[in-house]
Amino acid sequence: MVRVGPPVGPSRPGFWRSPLRGPWLTSVLGAVLLVGITVMFVTGLLSYAAYNPDLGGNDKTPDRGWLGFYLFAWPTDPYWLYRLNQGVHVTLGIVLIPVLLAKLWSVIPRLFSWPPVKSVGQVLERLSLLLLVGGVLFEFATGVLNIQLAYVFPGSFYPLHFYGAWVFIGAFVFHVAFRIPLMIRMLRSGGLREELRRPTGRGAAVEADESGLVTPNPAAPTISRRGALGMVGAGSLVLLAVTAGQSIGGFLRATALLAPRGQDPGPGPNGFQVNKTAVGVGIRARDVGPAWRLSVRGGGRERIFTRAQLLALPQHRAALPIACVEGWSTEDQDWSGVRLADLAALVGFTDRAPGVFVQSAQLRGSFRSTTLRDNQVRDPRSLLALRVNGADLSPDHGYPARIIVPANPGVHNTKWVTRLTFGENA
Ligand SMILES: Nc1nc2c(c(=O)[nH]1)N[C@H]1C(S)=C(S)[C@@H](COP(=O)(O)O)O[C@H]1N2
Ligand SMILES: [Mo]
């Protein structure tokens, strides 16, 4: 038997003195997170599926293995599906931050509980807490860094966030299974109003506190439970108010104070958000000037087009948004250009168009090429766009030609396209 000394510092009973802590407060915050994190996980998995990571050239996640068991052919309907999914994922993630911090604060004493090793069950629980707390902090931190364009990751963001999500969710399910009976009992017992009125400090009392959250040594309260919950709620609402506009658009875009690409994308037909500028990714003027050509390949054939020749083909219009993984999106833009299915037909795929491998004039960077699935190529709204809102594409929106496909993650709407290869890699 290992002898453990008396608990010291933060492990000492009575070290944590806030009278607000208790199973009820933790249960309320836990219930919000249970719903919120479940939605985060589902929208996150859908977001990953939207990348069609099973197609050659798309997957940035090596050895994803069976974690991708659920992948499916991402649809093109409804055309706003990815915009909605990603808006919810990112906005909700930001809004949950105050709730998450409050929840972690509310359970701090347990993280220091003493002795550290009481039983096998308890060791397992503490291990799961490590994965739970570490996992949730990792997921929120990587997510926030990515949407604020702080690309500080070793390699790509996707694998980190994707693996992290699976590790975290395992610990989360384990934790919820353990704790849900107590949570339900707490939420049923007090009744919200009654509990909020109860004078702080006396509280649900230490009377049989199986949760280990109630301090035996309460300090004088500095804020009521109602006030604390109100503060968390207000924090979330403020974050919602300064975030949601980047995904909803319209006049609300002006309220998106946290949007890293600003609130005002400028006037004119090309006045909507730009992800990466042409200069930013090293597009050279001569690659997208008069000498630019589009190569369309497939089935052993190749056809070369100038922009004028593409404009002479049947032009079609589609009202579609750009929706980025980072949560921001544009309103529907009025794109026009050549249908991808028509281009496939020009190299012989007249019947059922296959998928396509898209390459651009960009020489470096992971977004310079992409693979689209056959269902995406076949959708009549899927275009090699040449114009937008009645004007030529601007250099930053992908002139001379770009991909636009309904419900497609922004990153697959490749700009400055130079080559389409049908039926390979797809
Ligand atoms: N060649 C190329 N195409 C690209 C990108 C890129 O970096 N290079 N960025 C993609 C990303 S991540 C998004 S969200 C959209 C944004 O399109 P927009 O800048 O016209 O709004 O372009 C996509 N197409
Ligand atoms: Mo993006």
Side-chain angles (χ1 to χ4, degrees):
M1 190 56 203
V2 185
R3 279 195 44 182
V4 272
V8 289
S11 294
R12 192 158 42 80
F15 177 88
W16 302 99
R17 300 190 58 196
S18 171
L20 296 185
R21 287 200 185 88
W24 188 82
L25 181 70
T26 296
S27 296
V28 172
L29 297 168
V32 176
L33 286 178
L34 174 58
V35 175
I37 285 181
T38 304
V39 174
M40 293 293 291
F41 186 62
V42 171
T43 50
L45 290 189
L46 290 178
S47 177
Y48 187 69
Y51 284 93
N52 284 330
D54 274 345
L55 303 187
N58 282 2
D59 193 358
K60 311 277 187 303
T61 308
D63 303 325
R64 147 174 59 75
W66 52 268
L67 292 183
F69 69 92
Y70 72 93
L71 296 174
F72 56 97
W74 186 251
T76 53
D77 271 306
Y79 72 90
W80 39 259
L81 185 61
Y82 188 75
R83 186 179 182 200
L84 176 72
N85 186 82
Q86 217 50 27
V88 168
H89 186 75
V90 169
T91 307
L92 183 59
I94 290 176
V95 165
L96 285 179
I97 288 175
V99 185
L100 175 68
L101 295 178
K103 171 75 160 61
L104 290 176
W105 174 87
S106 82
V107 296
I108 283 182
R110 282 195 62 80
L111 302 182
F112 289 96
S113 76
W114 201 266
V117 179
K118 281 184 208 144
S119 63
V120 177
Q122 197 235 14
V123 169
L124 282 180
E125 207 212 339
R126 297 209 84 175
L127 211 69
S128 83
L129 276 185
L130 198 71
L131 294 178
L132 186 75
V133 176
V136 82
L137 291 177
F138 180 82
E139 286 302 282
F140 275 75
T142 49
V144 167
L145 285 171
N146 192 57
I147 58 178
Q148 286 300 322
L149 316 183
Y151 302 116
V152 293
F153 314 108
S156 169
F157 158 77
Y158 306 82
L160 294 175
H161 205 61
F162 183 72
Y163 294 141
W166 280 108
V167 171
F168 164 71
I169 210 70
F172 182 73
V173 168
F174 191 76
H175 178 74
V176 169
F178 256 86
R179 291 287 160 201
I180 212 164
L182 177 62
M183 187 186 93
I184 292 174
R185 221 170 337 120
M186 279 299 133
L187 296 183
R188 285 230 178 107
S189 70
L192 184 56
R193 287 197 174 184
E194 198 185 308
E195 186 64 32
L196 287 175
R197 289 217 184 95
R198 198 202 302 273
T200 319
R202 302 291 132 240
V206 196
E207 28 161 291
D209 173 35
E210 45 182 318
S211 70
L213 295 171
V214 178
T215 178
N217 182 21
T222 50
I223 189 173
S224 66
R225 266 186 215 94
R226 185 201 292 251
L229 279 183
M231 239 168 60
V232 172
S236 288
L237 281 179
V238 168
L239 287 173
L240 176 67
V242 296
T243 302
Q246 68 167 351
S247 321
I248 298 171
F251 70 94
L252 283 178
R253 193 170 300 281
T255 64
L257 302 180
L258 295 184
R261 287 187 177 75
Q263 294 78 51
D264 179 14
N270 278 276
F272 55 97
Q273 260 72 13
V274 167
N275 168 273
K276 301 241 174 87
T277 62
V279 170
V281 297
I283 296 292
R284 297 168 302 186
R286 65 187 140 102
D287 292 335
V288 291
W292 176 87
R293 296 290 181 273
L294 175 76
S295 153
V296 182
R297 298 180 175 185
R301 300 191 216 189
E302 175 170 28
R303 293 195 55 180
I304 308 283
F305 297 89
T306 64
R307 193 163 190 278
Q309 287 169 330
L310 289 171
L311 281 166
L313 295 173
Q315 303 291 297
H316 294 274
R317 289 168 62 174
L320 298 170
I322 297 280
C324 183
V325 62
E326 295 154 12
W328 61 268
S329 52
T330 72
E331 290 81 15
D332 296 353
Q333 309 296 327
D334 179 16
W335 306 93
S336 76
V338 185
R339 281 185 177 151
L340 293 182
D342 289 353
L343 290 168
L346 288 175
V347 286
F349 297 104
T350 45
D351 198 14
R352 293 175 64 75
V356 66
F357 180 54
V358 181
Q359 289 164 284
S360 72
Q362 192 181 330
L363 298 176
R364 272 175 301 277
S366 38
F367 305 161
R368 68 182 187 278
S369 64
T370 195
T371 304
L372 300 170
R373 205 183 274 277
D374 52 6
N375 65 314
Q376 296 178 308
V377 171
R378 286 173 201 165
D379 192 298
R381 296 163 297 182
S382 297
L383 304 178
L384 181 71
L386 305 167
R387 295 164 60 81
V388 65
N389 301 321
D392 283 341
L393 293 174
S394 69
D396 288 340
H397 282 304
Y399 182 92
R402 77 169 303 163
I403 297 290
I404 185 81
V405 167
N408 204 20
V411 61
H412 286 335
N413 289 328
T414 309
K415 305 192 274 192
W416 314 291
V417 172
T418 53
R419 180 183 292 161
L420 300 173
T421 307
F422 288 94
E424 263 171 49
N425 241 336

